[in-house]
Amino acid sequence: MSDTETLDAIREFEHDGTTYKMADLTVLEEQGLCELDRLPVSIRILLESVLRNVDGDIVTEEDVRNAASWEPDVPNVEVPFTPSRVVLQDLTGVPAVVDLAALRSAADRAGEDPKLVEPEVPCDLVIDHSVQVDFFGSPDAYEKNVELEYERNAERYKALKWAQNAFDNFSVVPPGTGIVHQVNLEHLGRVVHDREWRGDRWLLPDTLVGTDSHTPMIGGIGVVGWGVGGIEAEAAMLGQPITMKLPEVVGVRLDGELPEGATATDLVLHVTEQLREVGVVDRFVEFFGPGVGNLSVPDRATISNMAPEQGSTISVFPVDEATLDYLELTGREPEHIELVREYLESQGLFGEQHLEYTETVDVDLSAVEPSLAGPKRPQDRVAMGDMKTHFRNLLYGEFEDDVADVDEEAIVRWLGEGGGGGDDGELAGDGGTLTETPEAAPEEPDLGELTKRVEVDLGGETVEIGHGSVVVSAITSCTNTSNPSVMVAAGLLARNALEKGLDVPEYVKTSLAPGSRVVTEYLKKAGLLPHLEALGYDVVGYGCTTCIGNAGPLPEPIENAIDEHGLWTTSVLSGNRNFEARIHPKIRANYLASPPLVVAYGLAGRMDIDLETDPLGTDDEGNAVYLADIWPDADEIRETIHDSVDPSMFREKYAEVFEGDERWEALEAPTGDVYDWDDESTYIREPPFFTDFPLEKPGVSDIEDARCLLTLGDTVTTDHISPAGPFGSKLPAGQWLVDHGVDPVDFNTYGSRRGNHEVMMRGTFANVRIENQMLDDVEGGYTIHHPTGEETTVFEASQRYREEGTPLVVLSGVEFGTGSSRDWAAKGTDLLGVRATIAESYERIYRDNLVGMGVLPLQFEDGDSWESLGLDGSEQFDIRGLDDGLEVNDELTVVATKDDGTEIEFDVTAQVGTPAAVTYVEHGGILHYVLRRLLTEN
């Protein structure tokens, strides 16, 4: 008899003539283990998972008691969470498949059945991160981009197709379908599962982890799910519970309703800014209050999507009537919707809850104003009315020394122009129109470097660009393309702009990348797609495109002008990420905005403009046209959605979601249980993680005579550590490809090469904007080899250290590893020979990924940093205290010895927060642990 049965917590549930089993949470309350009415909903979902999976071995009755013990002052206990499914996208999914294939090869070499390695949890992989915007602004842009996508990625896609056939419980959504999180929201998400499990038919909450940091978007329909690294996701696929500390839960009370002219995008930028200030890293966030009912489910999903930017593990909304209406709208079966209601009501999980939280934050929806975020962090919100002043001050900070001879008073006047909202230019009234039409802006003075303009020849037409010119305007990303309100608003604004005679300047690269094919259908039905196309916003693909860094090349004359004149050009996108060099390596400032504002700034062609007071352009009669003149009316937005979006669209577009087009059908994938590795491949190669694999765990020991590979500052992102975009032939990754017969034009991107460890470890710490503080004013993947003092690439230095038998460390500041859930940021760190990182603080996913690769993440004591301690990266490092074994959050000592023999001793804390994390480090990584368990148990 299992522990669950001894708790008497499994009961039968009758629905529509069918008998199900379920883990009944009310039993725990009856037994005095908890008060359900006090527990946050997300904690109850965790509790149900623990309760249902009790087996007396991996999950025990004590784990149930720990999960049930939650209170606002959270006890220091851990719980094993088993998600009901795993979701992957292709950039992180390909390396996951490669790892699974490598595990099978290792099992086969050990003389075991390779099918020991088999997903125990259902997995869906959506191919959405590879399409690039090479062609744009034309009706055939989509077809041309998809053709190139298959040419570049056929080898990767064949590996995914092999996995779909080789593994049970593994499905692939082919290219050209949509973005993973939007497909998840509109189709894959069930809220409640009706599933065969352990020989019985069960009901259980839909829960998941995904290999993309924006997995929490599913919280918009009340599903608990979060992003993890590919390493952790692979372990979850293989049945390994995710062991986590019982989290604090922050309740966000929403009041009021959004004012006219404010969008869900503006709201999420406000929420992101506010929650970053509160500090919600490693915490769950739940939304409640009267304002929740004033948000549509797509609005809620927009907020949940940006959980990683907010810093939270999840940002989840309650399941209520609006959720069920959304399930109906998106074509879910009526009988399933009723089952969702009845099950959640029986568990006390339906509707508004009055709960206790660790902390409560208030957000007034009525105070939201049109906003952007940038130039390089999603949490840095800028009110639309402040953009002109913001950007001018940004420029002045960059070029202050270059304008030392310019009249200071003129500069002060120039910096002060640009408004900033207030009584003279508030968005108010119907549809956000201005209270009055402002006067035209005065002519700009000549302030040298600050105001210079450059003429560029584009196909025989001369255009002018300068600092602040918008060279990319992209409607992209599931954050917004899942929301009909902002997509319809963009279409209506485009229509109104055309009626006023406005157009987008030739130098602006425009694109529309819907998150699902349903978006195209309702834009067509509403008659809005032609208006967007007339401004250059043709559909370029169904994928992440610009938001992930697949903006594609700019016109060559534009890139040349940027390089030659050092221009700070800009991009504006409806995405969730704008880190340095992510959108395009030559664009210095990137701003997140709603789709209608993306179009508006595209029309303006410049970011240094106050759209509350400055005109976008002129009409055919030479009259100034302002944003207020073309901003769509809120009632028309609602009416258009009502008339244009219906369930049949979703049912039709998702009917054959796993089938693919003729290109997918034509791919000839490998067959067999063990992947047939090709030693000549430049895309898919067997990684070295499990070759010569010992059955005994290596354990831990003191690290001696280590050298520092890099000294880094604050907010070094996973984009800095493991970039996803394009790269050149002079970089180590490019040199390796050239040496293996690949022409630079066929390099593709780092993201597309994640199935090849040779490329990826050479691309680690190789972002063109990363700054190693060992070097003065040098950007890119360079470092100093010690003790020789020679400057070289990070990869070359790491290989020299490896040949010398020298272990490595990396020093960093706060928020080390913020950003995307890139397992290669940790895998590459490991393959470069880094044994430990020492930072002031970590972002959760990167920290866990390091643990998952057996790299020890260490944290300075409060108030300490490598700079305050007088370190510069030239020292030798000893990390002491590991010879006696590693404990949870172990306190260790680091001794840094300078060239003259001076020693600097300081304390650090090992960021391994659970016994499971300790085990993973001792085994050299989580997959190493899983493989040893599979081989030894068998």
Side-chain angles (χ1 to χ4, degrees), residues 3 5 390 571 671 699 761 800 836 901 918:
D3 283 7
E5 291 169 322
H390 156 83
S571 75
T671 58
M761 67 177 179
R800 290 174 65 176
V918 171

Side-chain angles (χ1 to χ4, degrees), residues 6 120 138 162 172 205 224 280 338 414 470 584 610 655 752 891 917:
T6 64
E120 295 183 19
S138 63
W162 167 81
V172 176
V224 171
V280 292
E338 188 56 36
W414 182 77
V470 174
H584 192 285
D610 181 355
S752 69
E891 295 184 1

Side-chain angles (χ1 to χ4, degrees), residues 68-85:
S69 71
W70 190 94
E71 55 186 31
D73 185 10
V74 181
N76 185 24
V77 296
E78 63 175 38
V79 293
F81 171 63
T82 305
S84 66
R85 59 191 177 99

